[in-house]
Amino acid sequence: MQFEVWAPQAERVALECDGAVSALQRDPRRAGWWTGEAEARDGSRYGFALDGGPVLPDPRSRRQPDGPDGPSAVVDHSRYAWQVPWAGRPLPGAVLYELHVGTYTPEGTLDAAAERLDHLAELGVTHVELMPLCPFPGRHGWGYDGVAPWAVHEPYGGPEALRRFVDRAHARGLGVVLDVVHNHLGPSGNHLPSFGPYFTDTHHTPWGSAVNLDAPGSDEVRAYFVGSALAWLRDYRLDGLRLDAVHTLVDTRALHFLEELSAAVDALADEAGRPLFLIAESDLNDPRLITPREEGGLGLHAQWSDDFHHCVHAALTGESQGYYADFARAPLAALARSLTHGYFHDGTYSGFRERHHGRPLDRARVPAYRLLGYSQTHDQVGNRAQGDRLAAQLSPGLLACAAALVLTAPFTPMLFMGEEWGAGTPWQYFTDHTDPGLAEAVRRGRRREFAAHGWAEDEVPDPQDPATRDRSCLDWSEPEREPHAGLLDWYRRLIALRREQPDLTNPGLGDLRVAHDADAGWLAFRRGDVRVAVNLGPKTAAIPLGSRPVRVLAAWEPVGEPGPDGLLHVPGESCVVLEQD
């Protein structure tokens, strides 16, 4: 079997495979690369020793059976016999469902999560978005401190379990998207600096030195991350990738890394004959991110829309701390602007940032599905001091209103696991660092962060306590009882309406019309012949719809026909979706 590794600063490289040691030779065709042959099979353990140092795992390891610091294992992808022919599911018209494997079930494995796929198919979502799967120290964690970006976390089941999960999802018509982290690795278990200039001090990020995308040696680093992305899509038949915090990928080259990555993914899609897509998390509100390459953009297919989330959250909860301050001054007006403009901050002044922020979307050219809309995500729940969901503070009626806003807005909807039944379990920040010093630093940092906002030390869960993870696991008995069952049925009805009503998947941002009354607490918008009225206030609101006849498509609380004055009376903390002739 052929082995290879990029180690441009090494004077000699040895391969240790199943206990046998052999010297690798410099590759005369590729600077910095070392290659060699050795007897190996699927599962063989191996690693590389540089200049007589310790044996380290392969930077391109497909499997780390003993964790990030152990030897790598050979993975023969050809051994798996795929059961389901799959033509793919495109992003337009999609409904995504964000899922953390380690807390979706108490078992916390891919196989256990696969046993719950029928729930998602019946819910009506189209894609499962898995939070990061790369290996990280310990058993339980969010996954954003992973290393080995070509491998699958062994406690989740490793590569074979991921293939089984994807196969079973595809059998139910569900696409699979994976959250990947290119902006940092580790810190614990990250051996890349031993091999080459994977990081640079030219730029800095919240996690330290930046990934090297533009300094000397960056050609191979860029190829490393592009290759990892393509491997997920090709070897595991994934349908798309979510790219974590792309605003921290500092790249001063004329050809930006994200443009290079999007071109490579589009080429793979053409080769594979099925749609593939990239969804960015970005804090920039820069439409160039989701503008096609041929039009001068970076060519990513969509991005998370935190502006929409912040508008919805501020309108529902009244919270105004931190970045919510920009949206809480006039939350319904902010929500109306987000619905019609995509970004709320599109060159406007941000008091939170104390500067202007963003750039306008070309609403005539950018389809609305390129923005993802949501009321909850792992970030927005888990980064709260106690990991409390909206269900912890809102009535079932307001939760129904949140669902209506997300699932009838022009954006691609995304749900966070358990949201669909108003899960009573929190989703807290938890880690399982094996380095005692790092574990204590994370614990202290978490408490210090929230102490600045008035939280007592004993009110902030200990990330390293196994009970913190256990509390975050979904309770699968909840969907069977009220009020959870009623909310779950509401989500199912709204998702079904998206399939049945073409107006609800109309990609035009400029076609939406919004009205609102801040004093009464209601907002209504029109998408073609579909009308959506959301009353966040405690009292019945008279919402003007006009004199044309209407047909109720879905209502949280019973509503009558509009009167001769064209006013529809919507109960407090309720919502309705109608079709108007």
Side-chain angles (χ1 to χ4, degrees):
M1 179 178 174
Q2 179 83 9
F3 289 86
E4 59 181 18
V5 66
W6 182 60
Q9 296 157 356
E11 293 298 325
R12 63 186 190 280
V13 177
L15 165 71
E16 182 176 307
C17 182
D18 287 340
V21 179
S22 58
L24 299 186
Q25 304 299 316
R26 294 183 187 273
D27 188 333
R29 300 164 300 171
R30 297 180 297 168
W33 282 86
W34 300 75
T35 64
E37 298 276 342
E39 290 289 332
R41 52 182 173 73
D42 185 78
S44 289
R45 307 293 182 90
Y46 73 99
F48 301 106
L50 311 179
D51 296 325
V55 177
L56 301 175
D58 183 357
R60 286 170 167 75
S61 170
R62 267 63 168 185
R63 186 181 173 203
Q64 290 296 121
D66 302 316
D69 295 316
S72 300
V74 172
V75 174
D76 181 359
H77 288 290
S78 67
R79 293 179 69 249
Y80 185 81
W82 291 96
Q83 303 298 306
V84 181
W86 183 245
R89 290 203 74 158
L91 186 61
V95 178
L96 276 66
Y97 187 94
E98 190 185 21
L99 185 158
H100 178 260
V101 169
T103 50
Y104 190 60
T105 66
E107 297 86 351
T109 66
L110 284 157
D111 284 335
E115 294 296 323
R116 296 288 182 178
L117 287 173
D118 285 341
H119 166 79
L120 300 183
E122 292 166 4
L123 177 61
V125 300
T126 62
H127 294 77
V128 183
E129 182 176 305
L130 298 173
M131 287 175 61
L133 298 180
C134 293
F136 54 85
R139 179 176 180 81
H140 296 301
W142 281 20
Y144 293 94
D145 52 359
V147 296
W150 300 55
V152 180
H153 191 48
E154 199 70 16
Y156 289 165
E160 288 294 308
L162 177 57
R163 279 191 282 261
R164 290 192 296 268
F165 180 92
V166 173
D167 232 355
R168 294 178 70 173
H170 287 171
R172 290 158 177 81
L174 297 167
V176 182
V177 181
L178 177 63
D179 193 337
V180 296
V181 182
H182 292 157
N183 48 53
H184 74 287
L185 285 88
S188 181
N190 177 18
H191 298 284
L192 290 184
S194 299
F195 285 88
Y198 282 89
F199 299 87
T200 174
D201 288 329
T202 304
H203 312 293
H204 289 272
T205 73
W207 307 283
S209 298
V211 170
N212 179 16
L213 300 176
D214 57 4
S218 58
D219 284 358
E220 290 292 353
V221 179
R222 292 162 75 103
Y224 175 79
F225 286 106
V226 170
S228 167
L230 298 182
W232 289 114
L233 297 168
R234 180 187 60 245
D235 298 338
Y236 294 98
R237 291 195 179 183
L238 298 179
D239 298 274
L241 301 175
R242 183 260 192 187
L243 311 177
D244 183 63
V246 299
H247 50 275
T248 62
L249 293 171
V250 186
D251 182 7
T252 60
R253 288 201 193 189
L255 176 63
H256 196 281
F257 168 74
L258 292 175
E259 183 178 355
E260 183 178 344
L261 176 61
S262 73
V265 169
D266 286 349
L268 179 61
D270 289 340
E271 177 187 329
R274 58 186 176 92
L276 302 172
F277 52 83
L278 298 171
I279 301 172
E281 179 196 22
S282 173
D283 187 41
L284 301 178
N285 283 17
D286 186 351
R288 287 174 291 193
L289 193 71
I290 53 176
T291 297
R293 295 186 303 279
E294 56 270 21
E295 297 177 20
L298 299 182
L300 301 184
H301 306 91
Q303 71 158 97
W304 281 26
S305 178
D306 274 354
D307 277 14
F308 177 74
H309 167 273
H310 298 345
C311 294
V312 171
H313 188 91
L316 288 168
T317 67
E319 291 182 9
S320 59
Q321 74 276 16
Y323 46 67
Y324 290 127
D326 285 347
F327 306 88
R329 294 184 182 92
L332 292 182
L335 181 54
R337 180 174 178 81
S338 176
L339 285 166
T340 53
H341 288 70
Y343 300 140
F344 173 75
H345 283 306
D346 56 2
T348 56
Y349 185 79
S350 165
F352 172 69
R353 296 176 176 84
E354 298 183 341
R355 62 172 175 81
H356 286 75
H357 183 63
R359 186 173 181 171
L361 279 170
D362 185 343
R363 291 181 290 161
R365 301 177 67 183
V366 177
Y369 71 79
R370 292 194 185 278
L371 298 176
L372 267 63
Y374 37 83
S375 65
Q376 301 181 75
T377 69
H378 78 273
D379 268 333
Q380 303 302 339
V381 175
N383 284 326
R384 297 171 68 84
Q386 296 185 330
D388 49 311
R389 299 168 179 263
L390 286 178
Q393 58 176 309
L394 299 183
S395 67
L398 287 178
L399 294 176
C401 290
L405 288 168
V406 169
L407 291 166
T408 63
F411 316 121
T412 297
M414 185 179 73
L415 313 179
F416 180 55
M417 63 177 197
E419 168 191 338
E420 69 275 20
W421 70 73
T425 50
W427 201 75
Q428 299 176 332
Y429 180 69
F430 52 89
T431 56
D432 189 21
H433 293 301
T434 53
D435 179 338
L438 179 58
E440 183 60 24
V442 169
R443 182 184 292 115
R444 289 180 179 273
R446 185 79 174 173
R447 289 173 174 168
R448 185 168 53 248
E449 174 188 356
F450 288 103
H453 298 284
W455 291 89
E457 183 173 302
D458 59 359
E459 293 180 305
V460 180
D462 178 358
Q464 285 286 119
D465 185 348
T468 304
R469 175 265 172 184
D470 294 343
R471 282 191 299 270
S472 301
C473 292
L474 290 177
D475 177 356
W476 283 93
S477 70
E478 288 184 335
E480 302 172 2
R481 60 180 188 267
E482 296 296 346
H484 307 287
L487 188 62
L488 176 57
D489 181 65
W490 177 246
Y491 269 84
R492 286 172 176 163
R493 281 190 284 161
L494 290 176
I495 294 173
L497 275 182
R498 287 187 66 86
R499 293 194 302 268
E500 298 162 5
Q501 296 290 328
D503 286 334
L504 290 180
T505 51
N506 181 345
L509 269 172
D511 298 333
L512 188 143
R513 300 291 181 267
V514 185
H516 66 277
D517 185 324
D519 293 331
W522 62 260
L523 177 141
F525 57 88
R526 173 171 63 85
R527 302 189 63 196
D529 291 330
V530 175
R531 304 289 192 272
V532 180
V534 175
N535 181 12
L536 305 182
K539 299 179 180 179
T540 296
I543 302 176
L545 288 186
S547 58
R548 292 164 57 192
V550 297
R551 178 172 67 95
V552 174
L553 300 175
W556 180 251
E557 297 283 357
V559 296
E561 293 282 333
D565 54 4
L567 297 178
L568 179 72
H569 294 272
V570 179
E573 298 186 356
S574 186
C575 47
V576 60
V577 183
L578 312 103
E579 185 177 37
Q580 197 157 25
D581 293 338

